[in-house]
Amino acid sequence: MIIRKILFFLILVYSSFLHAQYTAQWIWDKQSNPNTWIAFRKTIEAKDLPSVVPPTIAVDSKYWLWINGDLVIREGGLKRTPNPKDTYADTLNLRPFLRKGENTIAILVWYWGKEGHGHNGSGHGGLFFEAINGKQKIISDGTWKVKQHPAFDILIRGTQPYRPLAEFNVVYDARNEIENWYDTNYDDKAWKHATEFGKTPQKPWGKLVIRSIPQWKDFGLKDYTNKFPATSMGNILTMQLPYNAQVTPYFKIKAKAGMRVDIRTDYYTDGGAYNVRAEYITKEGIQEFECPGWMSGEQVWYCFSPEIEIISLKYRETGYNAAFEGSFNCDDNFYNILWEKARRTLYVNMRDNFMDCPTRERAMWWGDVVIEALQSYYVFSPDVYFLSQKAINELVNWQTEEGVLYSPIPGPHPPLMYGPYRELPLQSLAAISKPSLGYYYLFSGDSETLINAYPAIKKYTGLWQIGEGGLVVHRDGKWDWQDWGRNKDVPLLDNVWYYSAIDMAKKIAIMAGQFQDTISYDRQMKSIYSNFNRIFWTGKEYRSPSYKGETDDRANAMAVVTGLADKDKWENIRLVLNKEKHASPYMEKFVLEALLKIGAGDDALKRIKERYKGMVESKISTLPEGWEFSSFSQSRNHGWSGGVLSLLMQYIAGIEPIKPRFEVFSVAPQSGNLKSVQAVVPTPTGNIRINIENKAIYKLELFVPDQTKAVINLPKEITDGKKIHINSKQKKNLNMLSPGNWVIEVK
């Protein structure tokens, strides 16, 4: 993993250096229509082959790259979201795929031609390619051959995906396919020459922003878990996946020409909307097809015309390229199942961005990002930090001149609901708060990204005002949203989220050397703290004077999480959180975290069982958007629902960084009535491993990786009146532990 990361950085830096002055042209066919597939070919003569040949490849919207007939990149390109004007570009090392002499480069580009919650269309299809091979430059220009791929149907007919999705359905007519058009011996003399549209930063594509996340992880073609009949009867074949995944379905069949195959998943209408599907029209004879556009679900549904002979059905899983390194296990299988479902939910909601759901929207709503990012640090190798870094950069690069920060990014364009772009004020505050940027810094140690983001953070927090009463003035944005569900005490939520945001802004101001700004943040924090407790605390709970609903568990919990609630209020808040249950799965994470911060681990574990019972007992492998499975409008795979995963790692197993990159980390398990807990937590220098046995003798085994130190803080009920042994040596106090294996016993 470390070698791959170093190579990735070297290629990125080398490519940026070599391509400081691009000479390639943006090219395309003469016309640019939505949902168009354009094939490009170029034959080059390679005179020498240095160790690194880094290209810069950019498209609107996705591409597939072949070198000498071999598929090198499957679904290249990122959705166009670096900022309102520019385009992401890929880079990699082409050297392993080139040979001395003649080489053929073939690229298939899918231009969507529309915008969505996760994609900012340029308005025109385009391909940019530039590679430096020693002294030789390979550039896209009018010498490239181009042809609209006739097998892909560009007619936008039938039921298309719900408007927030930028993707179209894939319709492929094999009778019109160009056989082996990407091979070296294919004759492209009849193809047209590409049309040149200008050098970068030519509008509408703008400047090129080098992709900062790796290419997708490809798990290869795999068999489904169930069997299929040899001959189709015209009914739906339900093929079972091992779990919900991002997949491209595959088949190999024998058929007459003109027969149809429909491919979709059981989640085709997930979230109350039509999602992506594919349609294939057969040619004569044996043929195979893999849908290039990914889908997700628990099952893939194939509907073959009658009498088609089915030779093979498979699927290919792809996803974000990071290793699954984190784990959790305990003696109560309920929490193990929940942790695993949260992990699966998380992975299906990671690709170009952290998504809310992989079906209805595929959008980077910042409430979801905050929950998912922290989970990802506990689950995946540090390669996952790049996805958070990308999200933070996009957050600030899409800021308006006024200072508004969007959620989602790039935000919907007309005629979508809620106006051209939308600000969800409390999600924007969550994006810059400790639960977001604070944890990113502690896990990754990346201060540069936060310092670069600071001007945008300062500008956005400056849009908020403190009123005459010393508390936050409500800001409704383009969508006045705090959480799903009822009983939302909005004045409380405004103040807790703003307090958390400016607390983080103050910390970043210090990193950036903007010490004068801390004066204003301190003044606002003191004002909110004193007046929040003076006006909202009733003696037994937090409640705003104008609020008439049932006590808001979310807001009371956030008072604990942000530090607004003093410890003398914790017992009353604990009673509130044991009684009130209004939060959606999004805000439930913070309710549970408050109980754990209070030290009420058993209460938290009990509430988890009550709230997540239906999700754990469900047969599906992921967590849904809401508590009620019967809600047609809610997705069955939603990123914000897995926040409990990070709590099991951070509080129940008790592993949390104190200093950036785990230079110092805390071991403070709250295993409660659990008898055993095991966890693995990835860090930049190696994995932390912890094994807890809470039986007659309390035993904790811990592996501390290189370049880190552990601070042990066991619950008082474990240590009071007992002797502590570290590696068989009796100690009065627990010490800071250096790298190595440690065994702590409390007798």
Side-chain angles (χ1 to χ4, degrees):
M1 184 271 291
I2 294 175
I3 294 174
R4 184 178 76 229
K5 188 185 299 183
I6 292 172
L7 182 60
F8 175 66
F9 267 121
L10 288 175
I11 292 172
L12 192 153
V13 172
Y14 187 34
S15 177
S16 299
F17 172 75
L18 290 176
H19 298 297
Q21 297 294 327
Y22 292 110
T23 58
Q25 293 272 341
W26 278 95
I27 59 174
W28 196 246
D29 200 1
K30 287 184 178 180
Q31 295 184 346
S32 180
N33 297 311
N35 193 31
T36 304
W37 297 76
I38 303 291
F40 295 88
R41 281 177 56 90
K42 175 69 175 179
T43 299
I44 62 156
E45 187 78 18
K47 298 176 181 178
D48 57 357
L49 290 174
S51 59
V52 178
V53 182
T56 299
I57 311 172
V59 300
D60 185 350
S61 307
K62 294 285 184 176
Y63 72 90
W64 287 253
L65 169 68
W66 289 263
I67 302 290
N68 297 323
D70 294 327
L71 184 59
V72 174
I73 294 182
R74 184 187 303 276
E75 197 210 300
L78 292 175
K79 290 183 174 179
R80 192 172 175 270
T81 55
N83 58 56
K85 298 179 180 179
D86 299 329
T87 302
Y88 279 119
D90 287 356
T91 188
L92 72 158
N93 187 10
L94 290 183
R95 172 61 183 85
F97 311 101
L98 296 173
R99 59 198 179 204
K100 281 192 176 183
E102 192 173 90
N103 292 267
T104 299
I105 302 170
I107 303 175
L108 178 65
V109 181
W110 184 14
Y111 170 59
W112 295 333
K114 66 171 180 172
E115 297 152 332
H117 281 8
H119 176 68
N120 178 38
S122 68
H124 200 289
L127 165 67
F128 179 96
F129 184 99
E130 180 161 313
I132 297 178
N133 180 36
K135 296 179 180 180
Q136 179 186 18
K137 253 192 176 184
I138 308 164
I139 61 172
S140 51
D141 58 19
T143 65
W144 285 53
K145 292 299 190 73
V146 61
K147 182 180 180 66
Q148 181 176 315
H149 200 302
F152 289 97
D153 190 348
I154 67 170
L155 296 178
I156 306 168
R157 60 189 180 189
T159 304
Q160 289 293 334
Y162 179 46
R163 184 63 177 85
L165 276 179
E167 293 90 332
F168 286 95
N169 296 327
V170 175
V171 179
Y172 188 87
D173 189 337
R175 296 171 298 182
N176 300 325
E177 72 181 3
I178 318 170
E179 291 191 9
N180 303 320
W181 66 270
Y182 40 78
D183 280 347
T184 55
N185 56 1
Y186 178 81
D187 185 358
D188 60 15
K189 290 179 182 177
W191 288 26
K192 297 181 295 183
H193 286 282
T195 301
E196 296 180 354
F197 288 90
K199 299 177 182 179
T200 186
Q202 176 66 37
K203 292 182 179 180
W205 304 283
K207 297 178 182 178
L208 300 181
V209 179
I210 298 297
R211 174 187 187 134
S212 59
I213 64 173
Q215 294 290 334
W216 314 131
K217 187 173 185 176
D218 187 337
F219 294 84
L221 283 175
K222 296 182 179 180
D223 292 321
Y224 294 98
T225 61
N226 60 325
K227 303 296 182 182
F228 56 88
T231 304
S232 168
M233 302 299 292
N235 58 331
I236 295 175
L237 297 181
T238 300
M239 302 308 298
Q240 190 69 45
L241 296 166
Y243 41 67
N244 195 314
Q246 298 174 1
V247 299
T248 50
Y250 162 92
F251 62 76
K252 185 175 183 179
I253 58 175
K254 184 177 181 181
K256 297 178 181 179
M259 307 182 87
R260 291 184 178 270
V261 181
D262 183 276
I263 311 171
R264 61 188 72 184
T265 74
D266 55 331
Y267 281 25
Y268 175 59
T269 56
D270 186 44
Y274 290 113
N275 302 309
V276 294
R277 62 180 178 84
E279 185 176 336
Y280 179 89
I281 303 170
T282 62
K283 61 183 178 180
E284 186 75 27
I286 295 176
Q287 54 209 284
E288 56 186 334
F289 177 72
E290 181 177 347
C291 177
W294 67 271
M295 313 173 180
S296 75
E298 303 278 342
Q299 300 169 343
V300 175
W301 294 354
Y302 295 87
C303 186
F304 293 97
S305 293
E307 300 180 2
I308 288 179
E309 181 183 340
I310 304 170
I311 300 171
S312 178
L313 296 180
K314 295 178 183 289
Y315 69 94
R316 183 188 307 275
E317 180 185 358
T318 57
Y320 188 86
N321 200 347
F324 288 75
E325 293 186 356
S327 64
F328 177 88
N329 189 268
C330 68
D331 60 294
D332 189 329
N333 204 39
F334 180 94
Y335 304 106
N336 300 333
I337 295 171
L338 180 56
W339 190 95
E340 182 56 43
K341 287 192 173 189
R343 182 176 73 162
R344 176 48 36 190
T345 303
L346 169 65
Y347 192 60
V348 186
N349 281 287
M350 294 165 51
R351 201 174 181 93
D352 294 68
N353 51 25
F354 286 111
M355 296 176 264
D356 61 332
C357 57
T359 47
R360 181 184 62 206
E361 297 170 41
R362 302 182 179 180
M364 194 172 78
W365 298 89
W366 260 95
D368 298 82
V369 177
V370 171
I371 302 297
E372 292 176 68
L374 181 56
Q375 292 180 74
S376 75
Y377 310 149
Y378 277 113
V379 168
F380 297 108
S381 59
D383 307 79
V384 80
Y385 300 160
F386 295 128
L387 193 58
S388 289
Q389 181 189 56
K390 175 178 178 288
I392 296 166
N393 288 337
E394 291 178 359
L395 173 72
V396 301
N397 290 337
W398 275 85
Q399 186 173 42
T400 66
E401 290 185 9
E402 177 194 3
V404 172
L405 296 175
Y406 292 136
S407 183
I409 293 168
H413 297 246
L416 297 181
M417 55 185 176
Y418 307 118
Y421 298 102
R422 67 181 91 170
E423 173 201 2
L424 281 75
L426 295 195
Q427 286 204 20
S428 297
L429 291 178
I432 59 180
S433 66
K434 179 184 175 181
S436 173
L437 301 188
Y439 285 128
Y440 172 72
Y441 174 60
L442 283 175
F443 278 81
S444 71
D446 175 15
S447 60
E448 182 180 356
T449 297
L450 301 192
I451 291 170
N452 290 339
Y454 178 67
I457 293 169
K458 178 181 177 181
K459 193 172 186 178
Y460 181 69
T461 55
L463 297 179
W464 292 73
Q465 297 178 1
I466 301 295
E468 293 181 1
L471 293 169
V472 174
V473 176
H474 179 67
R475 180 179 175 84
D476 57 12
K478 291 292 184 181
W479 188 8
D480 195 7
W481 188 94
Q482 297 81 32
D483 187 27
W484 290 136
R486 300 177 180 178
N487 299 303
K488 294 172 286 189
D489 196 336
V490 176
L492 293 185
L493 291 168
D494 283 345
N495 280 276
V496 293
W497 276 119
Y498 185 69
Y499 186 87
S500 182
I502 59 174
D503 184 24
M504 195 65 223
K506 174 186 171 182
K507 292 179 172 65
I508 301 173
I510 294 171
M511 289 184 201
Q514 302 297 316
F515 302 107
Q516 70 280 3
D517 292 348
T518 64
I519 298 171
S520 173
Y521 296 134
D522 277 332
R523 183 168 56 248
Q524 292 182 69
M525 290 176 69
K526 288 177 182 177
S527 174
I528 294 171
Y529 172 80
S530 59
N531 290 293
F532 187 89
N533 286 283
R534 178 179 62 86
I535 296 174
F536 296 147
W537 183 250
T538 68
K540 61 178 182 178
E541 62 192 12
Y542 285 109
R543 172 181 287 267
S544 61
S546 60
Y547 177 65
K548 304 301 180 185
E550 296 178 31
T551 302
D552 187 351
D553 52 346
R554 317 165 185 83
N556 278 266
M558 284 296 295
V560 173
V561 171
T562 59
L564 278 168
D566 296 325
K567 288 186 177 181
D568 61 0
K569 300 178 177 64
W570 283 8
E571 179 56 26
N572 283 298
I573 293 175
R574 184 183 71 82
L575 296 175
V576 168
L577 302 185
N578 283 335
K579 177 185 176 184
E580 307 292 345
K581 297 178 177 64
H582 310 299
S584 78
Y586 164 49
M587 288 298 293
E588 181 68 16
K589 186 263 185 185
F590 301 104
V591 177
L592 295 167
E593 185 170 9
L595 285 170
L596 290 161
K597 275 187 173 292
I598 288 170
D602 284 338
D603 289 352
L605 289 169
K606 180 182 177 183
R607 179 166 172 134
I608 289 171
K609 279 200 170 181
E610 292 173 351
R611 298 290 265 164
Y612 290 88
K613 182 176 185 291
M615 296 188 187
V616 169
E617 293 178 350
S618 166
K619 293 181 180 179
I620 66 175
S621 63
T622 55
L623 305 176
E625 183 175 357
W627 304 114
E628 299 297 329
F629 279 82
S630 60
S631 176
F632 178 70
S633 64
Q634 293 186 340
S635 69
R636 287 174 284 175
N637 182 335
H638 213 83
W640 73 17
S641 295
V644 69
L645 180 152
S646 55
L647 299 177
L648 291 170
M649 306 292 275
Q650 184 180 359
Y651 292 96
I652 304 304
I655 307 297
E656 179 180 12
I658 297 174
K659 290 188 177 182
R661 293 176 59 86
F662 286 83
E663 180 184 342
V664 178
F665 65 92
S666 172
V667 181
Q670 293 188 52
S671 51
N673 56 15
L674 296 174
K675 299 302 181 186
S676 67
V677 174
Q678 300 87 39
V680 174
V681 176
T683 83
T685 59
N687 293 340
I688 298 168
R689 296 192 297 273
I690 188 169
N691 183 6
I692 302 168
E693 291 184 6
N694 187 10
K695 299 176 182 176
I697 296 176
Y698 184 93
K699 183 178 180 181
L700 187 154
E701 297 175 285
L702 178 70
F703 176 75
V704 180
D706 290 342
Q707 303 176 44
T708 68
K709 292 182 179 179
V711 175
I712 311 298
N713 185 13
L714 299 180
K716 287 185 178 180
E717 60 267 25
I718 297 293
T719 60
D720 274 1
K722 296 181 180 179
K723 295 178 181 179
I724 300 171
H725 298 261
I726 302 179
N727 285 13
S728 301
K729 294 181 180 180
Q730 188 171 328
K731 301 281 187 179
K732 290 184 178 180
N733 299 303
L734 292 173
N735 302 327
M736 183 180 288
L737 304 181
S738 57
N741 290 294
W742 299 92
V743 178
I744 300 169
E745 293 181 303
V746 182
K747 301 179 181 180

